[in-house]
Amino acid sequence: MIEYRNLRVALLGAGSVGAQVADQLLTHRDELAARIGAGIELVGVAVRDVDAPRDTVFPRELLTTDAESLILGSDIVVELMGGLEPARTLILQALNSGADVITANKALLATHGPELFEVAEQVGAQLYYEAAVGGAIPIIRPLRDSLAGDRVERILGIVNGTTNFSLDLMDTRGETMEHALAIATELGYAEADPTADIGGYDAAQKAGILASLAFHTLVPADAVYREGITEVTLEQVVAARKAGYVVKLLAICERLTDPVTGIEGVSARVHPALIPDTHPLAAVHGANNAVFVEAEAAGPLMFYGAGAGGIQTASAVLGDVVSAARRHVVGGPGVAESTHADLPVLPMTAVTTRYQITLVVVDEPGVLAGIAALFQNHGVSVETVQQSVASRDAAGQPEASDAATLVIGTHAASEADLAATVAALTTSSVVHSVTSVLRVEGL
Ligand code: NAP
């Protein structure tokens, strides 16, 4: 058997993920070599500060601040620095030098993905990014390869651990959003500045990546409708549980037809939503992630596991290292991104879904019929109505004695019709307040 030369791997970044990747590459060197059919040589690790204290196995002599020199002559470059620059420039340099690149950087892919994939294709190099969505969970390969012969209809994903951890604490321990977030920060599940997570930006970047792969259509992150979890109240979470639902921040990617224009396209959105407590995603607790895929032939599939964490994410990165290395040894076309379908990305107004609206109304005969008629006049069909007389205000105090709370569940309605209905409700003389509007998914 011909022995293949050692493959040179350059690592950019030795933080939570990078340090674990370096350690695993060295610790499992022999086993990885046996799987690849060639040895892996970690030629260096680029960091900002070579003197910073690090609790790692790999030799400190590998550390350097000169990422550009490290890239030159490498077969595989693993980018785990994060951020847009210098990550983008270094990846372009690596691709142009003929190296395959592995990254976990969803922010970079969401912003500069098309440019990076185009350069990779031009130079015949590969860009792998299994760790960019869902941490350890294999979801990129299944969408790109395993489901390449099927037609993905819809994806419902819990793709942000910080928000799932916080909403789960509200649900299971009755914590307020503020307190749940403080606990998440204390336990290291939330960044010092949690805006990217709680504002839904991180999930929107991942939704764009998933939708692009699933629908063979470029869906940039800024085309993803986004709402964070900051407006979700403990009252909503408690009321949801009583009604048989759980509140989750969902990334929803789907094929749909615009009800007004008839245009067939795709949509991607991130927002808090109610899901039935019997849905598999309702059982995703803590900082875990899960992606629920509905495909035409395969039916429903669920991918579940650790969505973050240094060693967990390193697992996905190392899988990419083995794939890239095997391609060097045995050849083959490698993976290919496909945007051939090029479907229109439809706006949020084209989305139809169910809603649950909570209202405090005047407790008089005929009010319920009037409210139902208001929904109907705006094209929204009411499916369920629950009424309780002892309404409480936001501070938990009983509302005026003439008040009753209505919880109205709708059939599927368009966002535009629902928005018009809510606007009409807020100005109605029999409505004291609209206290909650939540979309319902997964039915
Ligand atoms: P991190 O802990 O902040 O580590 C970043 C590393 O990159 C550090 O070693 C840092 O050097 C180095 N670095 C940053 N800027 C640099 C520059 N200009 N030149 C040279 N080195 C530089 O980040 P991480 O949590 O490991 O995340 C890495 C990537 O993985 C990100 O794209 C992130 O989104 C993605 N990801 C992370 C997770 C997770 O659980 N952490 C999960 C999925 C995906 P110093 O050590 O000297 O500061």
Short mmCIF file of all heavy atoms in Angstrom, two decimals, residues 134 136-137 284 287-290 303-308:
data_model
loop_
_atom_site.label_atom_id
_atom_site.label_comp_id
_atom_site.label_asym_id
_atom_site.label_seq_id
_atom_site.Cartn_x
_atom_site.Cartn_y
_atom_site.Cartn_z
N GLY A 134 -26.12 24.27 15.31
CA GLY A 134 -26.44 23.15 16.20
C GLY A 134 -25.24 22.50 16.85
O GLY A 134 -25.36 21.37 17.35
N ALA A 136 -22.76 20.28 18.16
CA ALA A 136 -22.38 18.88 17.91
C ALA A 136 -23.37 18.15 17.00
O ALA A 136 -23.06 17.08 16.46
CB ALA A 136 -22.30 18.13 19.24
N ILE A 137 -24.57 18.71 16.82
CA ILE A 137 -25.63 17.96 16.10
C ILE A 137 -25.31 17.87 14.61
O ILE A 137 -25.13 18.90 13.96
CB ILE A 137 -27.00 18.66 16.27
CG1 ILE A 137 -27.34 18.85 17.74
CG2 ILE A 137 -28.09 17.88 15.55
CD1 ILE A 137 -28.55 19.73 17.98
N VAL A 284 -37.31 19.41 24.44
CA VAL A 284 -35.92 19.86 24.35
C VAL A 284 -35.67 20.84 25.49
O VAL A 284 -36.15 21.98 25.46
CB VAL A 284 -35.64 20.49 22.97
CG1 VAL A 284 -34.21 21.02 22.90
CG2 VAL A 284 -35.88 19.46 21.88
N ALA A 287 -30.03 23.91 27.61
CA ALA A 287 -29.35 24.60 26.50
C ALA A 287 -29.26 23.71 25.26
O ALA A 287 -28.56 24.05 24.31
CB ALA A 287 -27.96 25.02 26.94
N ASN A 288 -29.98 22.59 25.27
CA ASN A 288 -29.92 21.69 24.11
C ASN A 288 -30.56 22.33 22.89
O ASN A 288 -31.37 23.24 22.99
CB ASN A 288 -30.62 20.37 24.41
CG ASN A 288 -29.74 19.48 25.27
OD1 ASN A 288 -28.56 19.32 24.98
ND2 ASN A 288 -30.30 18.94 26.33
N ASN A 289 -30.18 21.82 21.74
CA ASN A 289 -30.74 22.25 20.45
C ASN A 289 -31.43 21.06 19.80
O ASN A 289 -31.13 19.90 20.14
CB ASN A 289 -29.64 22.71 19.49
CG ASN A 289 -29.11 24.11 19.76
OD1 ASN A 289 -28.45 24.69 18.93
ND2 ASN A 289 -29.37 24.65 20.95
N ALA A 290 -32.34 21.32 18.88
CA ALA A 290 -32.93 20.25 18.09
C ALA A 290 -33.46 20.84 16.79
O ALA A 290 -33.91 21.98 16.76
CB ALA A 290 -34.07 19.58 18.84
N PHE A 303 -33.30 15.86 14.83
CA PHE A 303 -31.87 15.85 15.14
C PHE A 303 -31.70 16.61 16.45
O PHE A 303 -32.13 17.77 16.56
CB PHE A 303 -31.08 16.55 14.03
CG PHE A 303 -31.29 15.90 12.69
CD1 PHE A 303 -32.38 16.23 11.90
CD2 PHE A 303 -30.41 14.94 12.23
CE1 PHE A 303 -32.59 15.63 10.66
CE2 PHE A 303 -30.60 14.34 10.99
CZ PHE A 303 -31.70 14.67 10.21
N TYR A 304 -31.10 15.97 17.45
CA TYR A 304 -31.13 16.53 18.80
C TYR A 304 -29.78 16.39 19.49
O TYR A 304 -29.09 15.40 19.28
CB TYR A 304 -32.20 15.75 19.59
CG TYR A 304 -32.17 15.96 21.07
CD1 TYR A 304 -32.80 17.07 21.63
CD2 TYR A 304 -31.54 15.06 21.91
CE1 TYR A 304 -32.77 17.27 23.00
CE2 TYR A 304 -31.51 15.26 23.30
CZ TYR A 304 -32.13 16.37 23.82
OH TYR A 304 -32.11 16.58 25.17
N GLY A 305 -29.40 17.35 20.29
CA GLY A 305 -28.17 17.21 21.07
C GLY A 305 -27.63 18.53 21.56
O GLY A 305 -28.35 19.53 21.61
N ALA A 306 -26.33 18.52 21.90
CA ALA A 306 -25.69 19.71 22.45
C ALA A 306 -25.47 20.73 21.33
O ALA A 306 -24.79 20.44 20.35
CB ALA A 306 -24.36 19.34 23.09
N GLY A 307 -26.05 21.91 21.51
CA GLY A 307 -25.95 22.94 20.46
C GLY A 307 -24.72 23.80 20.60
O GLY A 307 -24.45 24.64 19.74
N ALA A 308 -23.97 23.62 21.67
CA ALA A 308 -22.76 24.42 21.88
C ALA A 308 -21.87 23.66 22.86
O ALA A 308 -22.16 22.53 23.24
CB ALA A 308 -23.12 25.79 22.43
#
